[in-house]
Amino acid sequence: MYDASVEHLSAALDLQTVRVARQVAEHGSLTAAAEALGYSQPAVSQQLRRFEERTGIALVERVGRGIRLTQSGRVLARHANAVATALEAAAGELAEIRGLRTGRVRLVAFPSASATLVPRLIAALGARHPGVAVTYVEAEPPEAVAAVRADRADLAITFSYPGDRDDPHRASARGLDVRAFGDEPMRLVLPEGHPAAASDVVDLARLGDDPWIAGCPRCRGHLLELTDVAGFTPRIAFETDNFVAVEGMVAQGLGVALLPALALDASPRHPGVVTRPTARADVRSLHLVTARGAERVPAVGATLAVLQELASTA
């Protein structure tokens, strides 16, 4: 049955109102929502007021000195990512017909990708599609997934470890598209004169008496899981997220470490350090995270295609 009220509401809805509702849900105030959108607070208030005047539906309500979304506002915010992605996909397909002369990709990736994978991606994308603008923010996987969910990023390059209890690609990525992007080898980092350095591959059990240099909390958790399987608890002497610092400490004989290959590729090899695969050929998995349907946005689709080519030639 035809429902005129539905048609009226559909006509009253616009992408900007949807985005405002989403940012209010994300930030909890009109001022913060306006800042996130790059508008003044009065402009955002006027946007909401126009919608209410056209429909008779209030999206926000005052609570003390602050505001919160009404039930209607929460409904609109819940649909915001899907609506924004669908509209951008439609606009993108029109741009594709025009030859992908313009476009935008908001990229986020983890730190060790910043000096390796990300520059190659941006250079390759620029060579093929010079009209596509790329912005980049560095973030660990949980924050990167959250950025895609909140529509602050179009594409996140992330990683996870086998058996990771805090894997950000489970519940927190529900409703998003998560694509496998290959496996990244883990490497033991040893002082040049270490007895295990003479071996082509190293069983972790041989390093049970060594002091260890640990990295980020998630990397450290993975190390503890691997050493537990190997039958020992590592004696962690130093902790740093700085991959270059880890190599420097190893070179001085202060301990041994386990680092992903991209971290080792991010800087020249430190003198006095050797790297070896583990006997179990341990890896971490790489992922590409987008909103559902985002690959139909030509700029995002082109970026995904370049990334898959880079993976196949790595």
Side-chain angles (χ1 to χ4, degrees):
M1 179 182 292
Y2 173 73
D3 189 338
S5 64
V6 172
E7 182 177 353
H8 174 67
L9 286 173
S10 298
L13 273 174
D14 61 87
L15 180 58
Q16 197 54 42
T17 302
V18 172
R19 284 176 169 162
V20 168
R22 181 67 187 86
Q23 293 301 328
V24 172
E26 177 74 14
H27 298 287
S29 75
L30 290 182
T31 301
E35 183 176 347
L37 291 165
Y39 297 130
S40 66
Q41 193 268 348
V44 169
S45 297
Q46 186 178 22
Q47 180 78 29
L48 295 175
R49 189 163 52 250
R50 280 200 303 267
F51 177 80
E52 184 173 357
E53 289 171 353
R54 292 196 301 266
T55 64
I57 296 175
L59 299 180
V60 297
E61 59 187 358
R62 292 207 165 274
V63 181
R65 296 184 177 181
I67 60 100
R68 67 183 178 192
L69 290 174
T70 63
Q71 181 181 4
S72 298
R74 293 194 297 273
V75 168
L76 192 58
R78 190 173 71 244
H79 289 280
N81 280 358
V83 170
T85 298
L87 287 174
E88 287 181 7
E93 288 182 25
L94 294 175
E96 189 171 39
I97 294 172
R98 203 174 55 193
L100 196 58
R101 290 196 294 269
T102 62
R104 176 196 67 169
V105 176
R106 296 167 298 169
L107 177 67
V108 58
F110 53 92
S112 59
S114 292
T116 52
L117 183 58
V118 170
R120 288 160 51 207
L121 166 63
I122 294 175
L125 190 63
R128 296 186 195 181
H129 307 289
V132 174
V134 180
T135 61
Y136 176 60
V137 174
E138 186 178 279
E140 293 290 351
E143 293 73 29
V145 171
V148 174
R149 179 174 295 285
D151 195 29
R152 297 193 302 272
D154 301 303
L155 170 63
I157 305 174
T158 61
F159 67 82
S160 65
Y161 290 106
D164 189 349
R165 285 183 285 259
D166 298 320
D167 188 346
H169 307 94
R170 293 176 185 161
S172 61
R174 189 173 293 123
L176 302 177
D177 274 343
V178 181
R179 298 170 176 81
F181 186 50
D183 291 328
E184 178 186 6
M186 301 296 296
R187 295 286 184 257
L188 285 164
V189 187
L190 309 170
E192 199 168 46
H194 194 286
S199 303
D200 292 333
V201 297
V202 178
D203 189 331
L204 282 176
R206 294 182 60 183
L207 306 175
D209 294 330
D210 285 84
W212 284 80
I213 302 160
C216 71
R218 294 182 67 236
C219 302
R220 186 161 58 251
H222 183 55
L223 171 64
L224 292 173
E225 290 179 4
L226 293 180
T227 54
D228 183 60
V229 172
F232 71 95
T233 299
R235 176 166 54 90
I236 296 176
F238 304 100
E239 300 180 35
T240 175
D241 290 341
N242 186 321
F243 302 126
V244 177
V246 170
E247 287 196 47
M249 290 180 177
V250 172
Q252 294 301 317
L254 302 179
V256 298
L258 183 71
L259 289 178
L262 283 177
L264 293 168
D265 292 343
S267 61
R269 183 66 57 251
H270 199 292
V273 163
V274 297
T275 63
R276 295 290 184 266
T278 64
R280 287 160 37 97
D282 296 294
V283 299
R284 71 178 182 181
S285 299
L286 303 183
H287 312 277
L288 305 176
V289 183
T290 66
R292 284 186 176 170
E295 72 280 357
R296 300 198 315 269
V297 179
V300 176
T303 305
L304 290 169
V306 170
L307 277 167
Q308 294 295 354
E309 288 184 23
L310 290 177
S312 66
T313 58

